[in-house]
Amino acid sequence: MPGPGSMLWAVDVFGRVYTLSASGQAWERLCGDGPREFKRVSAAKPCCWGIACDHQVYVYVHAGDLPIRCQEEAYENQRWNPVTGFCEKLLPSDRWPWSDATGLEHRALGGFALPSAHWEWEQDWHLDHNCHGEPTAQGGWTYAMDFPAAYTKEQRWNSCVRRRRWIRFRRYAARDAWAQIPSPEDPKQLPDPFSDLSVGGWEISEEPAGRLSVWAVSLQGKVWYREGVCHHNPEGSSWSLVSAPGEAVQISCGPDDLVWATLWEGQAAVREGIDRNNPQGLSWTVVEPPDPACGLLHVSVGVNVVWALTKDRKVWFRRGVNSHNPSGTSWIGMVGELVMLDVGLNDQVWGVGCEERAVLFRQGVTRSELSGKAWKALACGRDGDRSQAGSATSLLSAGCFFTDDIREQSGSGPHPGEERPPDLEGADAASTCGEDGRGEDGAPACPGVSALSETPPAPEKGPEDPPSPCPPPGPGASEPEPPPAELRWSNIDLKEAAKPPPTASSALAETGSLGSFGLEDPLLADERPLWAWVSGGACLVEPQGPPKWFPRPAPRPLLLSPLLSLRAQTSAWRTQILQQLSERTRRENQDFQHYEQARPSVWVKTGSLQWWRSWKPHKWVDVRVALEQFTGQDGARDSILFLYYMHFEEKKYIHVFLNEVTILVEILNEAKHSFALYTPERTKQRWPLRLAAPTEQEMRDWVSLLSAACCEGRALGGHPSRRAIWSLTCKGDVFASEPTPHLEDPARPDPCNQMFWRQVGGHLRLVESSSRGVTWGLGYDHTAWVYTGGGPGGSSSGLSSSGEHAHTQTDVKCVYIYENQRWNPVSGYSSRGLPTDRYMWSDASGLQERTKDHTKPPSPQWAWASDWFVDFGISGGTDREGWQYAADFPASYHGHKTIKDFVRRRRWWAELTLLTGSNWIKTILHLPLIRTSFFFSFLAGVALWAVSDKGDVLCRLGVGSSWLHVGTDQPFLSVSIGSFHQVWAVAQDGSVFFRGSVSTKKPEGDGWYHIPSPPKQKLKQVSVGRTSVFSVDQNGNLWYRQGITPSYPQGSAWEHVSNNVRRVSVGPLDQVWVIADKVQGSHSLSCGTVCHRLGVRPGMQPKGLSWDYGIGVGHIHSFLYLSALLSHPEGDSGRITSIYIYKRVMKFRPRTKQQNYTSQKH
């Protein structure tokens, strides 16, 4: 159930449901509520649940680019007999003729019914022709000796039984609309009418995908739990009654395992024992209210917080709440009186004020200060309201918002002799103000603002004082303003430093009311929304970047007016002086034009670094470093880097011409802040020049300076061209390379070890581009980003991005460590292993020690975003505590213990977040992706295919158009599109598919064709060129697809080409690039090397003859049109994890992407 992004939900006093987007500034009426009136709602990111005034439960599921599909399957089983052969007549001990996969449940094709009226069938029943990644024979049958057994697609002499799978998909149709939760047909199972509900629990477990916990309270005080709510079943299956210690009134469920309920007697009941295996919990614990005389009325819980309201509307905060102690320790009284409150994402708190019924937000809530600092009202009107033109938002943008400071001084009227400005209607008053609060002539446009900023507060007005320029609100201007004491909700702000007593209008201004602006429209106050309920479960508010929903302090025009006046007075003589200086400079330059230009030599920077000596004994040596830059007669700059060191008390030096450097990359090494310099010769030797700095910042300064010098020497600047080759490091740094004209020359191609890579900026996991300049990237959190152009950016201080293109980029990734144990007969499983065992806390390989306390972020730009948690979603399954068992280290792990299992392990994970500046902006795509692929042609434009993190395939023609979902029978891993709309894809089980009939008029095609994989191999990546298709299997073998022609684009067979290949990329003219391991160098075997296939001649020698080795020590995939991914394993210099290369050739533009697989059907 993909959500639409961050969104705040609310219900007004008339039962109408509104939403407020994080990127918007006005409440929008939910179009799907129809005539229904709701009492309350509870939101999560994928959906929202609500109780209508008829006490029925409804769910609102957002419509996304991906449909909600559920696969139904049934197996047709047959047994062989000597008379009729295979038939449906089975033995009495056999399974049902039509059954599920286990054979225990009877499933006839005609017995499947839709769960509710909100579902619909996509298509009729059809056969599944896939068996362990291989296509089955005609009929879809798989054979075995008996039930149950291992099935094969070939019929053997002892195959006595067979079966085939029938599948059918149903689609959830009630999206972007309220769907009533169906009730059981049996009246005895009908729950009572509901009075309250809460949605949460999405962080308890990731399996099944999108699982939610829905708790509800009926009018009779019973507690109910909705079973089976998940991504593929948004309505759930049934209601289960949960016993409670008393009559419940209200309930709240947090994102994790916190569930609190309020009882009729005023106490709170806390549910304990909630985990992934028992989401309903085990027992209740009663918590006494903070005031025995005034019991609890309302509670709301988050991850580590509990907020509550007592019956006198006072706000309370529960101290000491966490997963190990869900009951907390004590109550803390907070300032404020609310109708209700709700804890949203990141433990942010929302509420509704008592008197004004305004939506309030708790400011200052962080992980270190969960109680926050103060309440602040949202200054957002409703979309379409008459008062929107003169709303607080409009006045804020005009700079006319009266803050407390200005309001204190605005009580004095005009001075004698001044003419009072006329009264303004709401829209007219706003339209006369510029962005700085001034009119068109530069004078202050809002009365009472310009002449008050530097004067002391005016005394109270007497009977003879002139009227204020801002009349009081309301229909009658003569009515006095009510005293502040009557506005009870104004006490919501924390009791901080003492302030002058605010007037009633200033208090109203704090909530976004329009009564304090002197607007004479009597309907403004009446049309202000009055809220009854708010839900922040789908609203993500970052402490460092809150939405633009709140009033902002107005600019102070008086402080700016003297400066503006001074500029006006001095602009004339300043312009004259500048003109005179320019003229003198021009004359002086003309007098010396016949002189020969000097060639200055400048020491740009010197310092102390460490150098990794390239001969034995290998060790770090202290060196003095100097960077010399000199300018030639043509203005070009050249640079030389000198390293001075001592060898047997003799001074020696090493020098590197920076115009020969091909790449500078940081090395991921916990011991040193080091980086590496590659040159063509050092690339051949696989032995870069490695330097280390004392601090991280000094290392980044050197990398920035050297990178700038390299770009100056090669006359490179600005953003990469459309022909650029993009690359990423394992740390997420983005690089680009401009290909030379002869890089693909068939006769004498330029060596790829001479390609220069420069850092662009940003942080990504994967990048993809097209010849039209459209470049996308994917972060570690599967978020899609678009490159906007501009120079370098990112975390390096010297690689600052151009100001007009600088954006904020975020990323999230998980870090995994393993806890290992061995069984002994005395204590059972323990952390005491054998001397030959792996570390008891290690990485996945067991060779590196990794503990919770000593695992650090890869760089200072990363920060921990969560604690350590047990990972229950690891491949192979786990038991209730997350353990996996095996006979020994290492071995095949499984999720249940057997008598032969002597070791076990479990995986822990924690999240890291990154915030950096870059030239990438987030796409308006609320869908996590794992792969993308581009193709461009003059007739079709840009065609984009993508795979979501759930394995769904999408496509669209033209970047910016809507997505089309391409149906599949199983989750896919990657997809790729070729020069003539050929689309190939690889499923998660290693099977390969070809998409038929893809064209400009029908970009999604009409069907998948199963292509047999190489014998006994499972593919993981495929790449398509003009006439050839290459693929890589899970064992690192490179395969070429034979027999591909325009009339038969699927080809005929696979032919082996090479081994030790990670990724392959095929270009528009069938150029082949790969990322290879174990490339022989002069010093060592390197891994992750970019290799170019030489001798490729389409139609004559499509496989090529030999390899040309380029940059790299650690690539993962290669793509001939554009992007390259560099990785640096620990202690190693720049390791390229993947490369995508784009070549602009004739009409054929963007090529496909690394892990995507393409081919075409004409």
Side-chain angles (χ1 to χ4, degrees), residues 838-860:
R838 57 180 59 191
Y839 293 100
M840 292 296 101
W841 288 87
S842 69
D843 60 356
S845 65
L847 302 178
Q848 301 290 333
E849 186 176 12
R850 294 285 186 271
T851 63
K852 295 181 182 179
D853 297 332
H854 294 89
T855 300
K856 299 179 181 179
S859 68

Side-chain angles (χ1 to χ4, degrees), residues 99 130 218 275-276 306 319 362 425 453 457 497-498 534 658 736 777 805 873 882 898 908 915 933 1065 1079 1093:
S99 68
N130 184 29
S218 65
D275 56 28
R276 63 185 302 272
V306 174
R319 179 188 297 174
R362 188 70 176 178
E425 292 292 328
S453 298
V534 65
L658 292 191
H805 296 295
T898 65
W908 295 76
L915 181 66
S933 179
S1065 175
V1079 174
R1093 190 69 172 173

Side-chain angles (χ1 to χ4, degrees), residues 589-644:
N589 291 337
Q590 288 180 351
D591 296 339
F592 296 96
Q593 284 183 353
H594 61 282
Y595 282 77
E596 182 180 359
Q597 184 177 2
R599 299 183 58 187
S601 178
V602 181
W603 292 94
V604 175
K605 185 173 182 178
T606 61
S608 298
L609 297 176
Q610 285 187 318
W611 163 59
W612 182 255
R613 194 166 62 184
S614 56
W615 60 81
K616 294 182 180 180
H618 302 296
K619 65 178 182 178
W620 289 102
V621 179
D622 294 332
V623 295
R624 289 289 298 173
V625 182
L627 175 63
E628 179 184 358
Q629 286 187 335
F630 56 90
T631 306
Q633 295 182 358
D634 55 353
R637 283 192 176 183
D638 292 330
S639 303
I640 304 177
L641 181 67
F642 291 93
L643 277 69
Y644 300 95

